[in-house]
Amino acid sequence: MIVVTGATGTIGRALIEELGGAARAVVRRAEQGEELGCDYVVGDLERPESIPLEPGDRLFLNSGLWPGFVRAHQAVIDHAASAGAAQVVTVSVRGVTSSSLLGFGLHGQVDEHLKASGVPWSILAPVGFMQNLAGDVDEKGRIFGSYGRGRVGYIDGRDIGAVAAVLLTRPVGADAVYELTGPAAPTHDEIAAELTRALGRSVRYVDLPVEAAAAHLERRGMPAPAARDLAELMTQIGDGRWASTTTTVADLLGREPRSLREFLARTR
């Protein structure tokens, strides 16, 4: 059995669709399971015993971030090891470590725990999601950041779900980290141009130094320490660490990942 946590998110839904519904989703409320149209159980990552795992099952472990993220994910990994799970596939972020800023560091801590767990593992390590880009446009048609001219190979979250489906249905292979990107790595000025084309209104990217970006994020309601860290993180991403693209999606799926233009055309 393939057990899917985070089943109602973009990646989880895509995974279940790719599996043709042949999965057991873990949801917080029964109506969510009914909506998914597959086998489901009501469970919670903070109660690892509620995640139904038996010897030989394969687990897709993913969720949004919250204060208990690391503790809960580590406990579920331990539960999978005790249950004799055949594989854990989880979603992290490209290039993170346990000391990375903000949620990147949380993913890094979970990655380290999974690698030491004794359970066969696959870590999906994407860069930013295309799904987040249009939501960053403000009422004046601006997107703000501290990326400079740095390039980022944004990926469609649905392609991540498709990769997970391949890894969870083929024979369990060697433990590995899979770095996932889209087919190209545009600058944020180029992203703004694509958004202009797709949205039918002018969109421009406004690049800010770290202090100004942090102040902008604070004005939008982010606590000061987190705002500073996020501005620093954008600058780090802009240094080129996410500029290279990989062939991993194409190698596993036998097709190219969706381009930003294709993604925006399908979501208008």
Side-chain angles (χ1 to χ4, degrees), residues 5-6 28 44-48 61-76 102-103 106-107 110:
T5 66
R28 286 181 173 272
D44 190 329
L45 294 179
E46 294 190 295
R47 294 184 293 109
L61 179 59
N62 188 39
S63 77
L65 297 173
W66 80 97
F69 175 89
V70 172
R71 181 182 65 255
H73 278 241
Q74 290 176 343
V76 172
L102 296 176
L106 303 184
H107 280 293
V110 172

Side-chain angles (χ1 to χ4, degrees), residues 4-5 30-31 46 60 76-77 90-92 99 103 118 127 131 153 168 188 224 245-246 268:
V4 178
T5 66
E31 58 267 27
E46 294 190 295
F60 179 71
V76 172
I77 290 167
T90 191
V91 180
S92 183
S99 61
V127 295
Q131 276 78 1
L168 288 161
H188 283 76
T245 57
T246 70
R268 277 187 294 184

Side-chain angles (χ1 to χ4, degrees), residues 77-78 80-82 84-88 114-122 175:
I77 290 167
D78 293 343
S82 297
Q87 180 188 32
V88 173
L114 178 57
K115 291 175 181 179
S117 68
V119 182
W121 53 267
S122 296
D175 299 338

Side-chain angles (χ1 to χ4, degrees), residues 151-164:
R151 296 181 173 276
V152 179
Y154 286 98
I155 185 170
D156 186 337
R158 293 169 297 184
D159 284 337
I160 303 171
V163 167

Side-chain angles (χ1 to χ4, degrees), residues 144-148 213 217 227 229-239:
F144 293 87
S146 296
Y147 302 100
L217 292 166
D229 282 354
L230 180 54
E232 290 278 6
L233 190 58
M234 288 189 286
T235 300
Q236 290 178 9
I237 292 170
D239 71 6

Side-chain angles (χ1 to χ4, degrees), residues 237-250:
I237 292 170
D239 71 6
R241 65 189 62 190
W242 282 3
S244 63
T245 57
T246 70
T247 63
T248 309
V249 173

Side-chain angles (χ1 to χ4, degrees), residues 15 58 161-170 252-253:
L15 169 57
R58 300 166 83 163
V163 167
V166 169
L167 296 176
L168 288 161
T169 53
R170 73 182 189 182
L252 289 169
L253 302 185

Side-chain angles (χ1 to χ4, degrees), residues 35-263:
E35 177 191 348
L36 289 170
C38 65
D39 185 24
Y40 71 89
V41 297
V42 175
D44 190 329
L45 294 179
E46 294 190 295
R47 294 184 293 109
E49 70 281 359
S50 70
I51 311 301
L53 289 170
E54 298 180 358
D57 284 347
R58 300 166 83 163
L59 172 66
F60 179 71
L61 179 59
N62 188 39
S63 77
L65 297 173
W66 80 97
F69 175 89
V70 172
R71 181 182 65 255
H73 278 241
Q74 290 176 343
V76 172
I77 290 167
D78 293 343
H79 173 54
S82 297
Q87 180 188 32
V88 173
V89 175
T90 191
V91 180
S92 183
V93 182
R94 186 182 188 182
V96 298
T97 69
S98 59
S99 61
S100 297
L101 293 171
L102 296 176
F104 285 19
L106 303 184
H107 280 293
Q109 292 176 56
V110 172
D111 292 351
E112 289 180 1
H113 192 81
L114 178 57
K115 291 175 181 179
S117 68
V119 182
W121 53 267
S122 296
I123 296 174
L124 307 185
V127 295
F129 293 1
M130 292 177 182
Q131 276 78 1
N132 296 332
L133 292 173
D136 288 340
V137 182
D138 73 4
E139 66 280 358
K140 295 183 179 180
R142 301 171 299 182
I143 51 177
F144 293 87
S146 296
Y147 302 100
R149 296 290 298 169
R151 296 181 173 276
V152 179
Y154 286 98
I155 185 170
D156 186 337
R158 293 169 297 184
D159 284 337
I160 303 171
V163 167
V166 169
L167 296 176
L168 288 161
T169 53
R170 73 182 189 182
V172 177
D175 299 338
V177 176
Y178 296 86
E179 295 190 347
L180 307 178
T181 73
T187 67
H188 283 76
D189 286 319
E190 292 168 344
I191 290 167
E194 288 296 335
L195 287 166
T196 295
R197 177 195 300 270
L199 300 177
R201 63 187 180 98
S202 178
V203 177
R204 64 188 179 93
Y205 171 62
V206 180
D207 193 65
L208 299 172
V210 169
E211 294 296 340
H216 169 74
L217 292 166
E218 283 187 60
R219 288 193 296 271
R220 295 182 63 182
M222 184 173 289
R228 174 72 192 201
D229 282 354
L230 180 54
E232 290 278 6
L233 190 58
M234 288 189 286
T235 300
Q236 290 178 9
I237 292 170
D239 71 6
R241 65 189 62 190
W242 282 3
S244 63
T245 57
T246 70
T247 63
T248 309
V249 173
D251 294 342
L252 289 169
L253 302 185
R255 64 164 176 81
E256 289 297 314
R258 294 181 184 88
S259 69
L260 179 58
R261 184 169 297 185
E262 290 170 332
F263 168 79

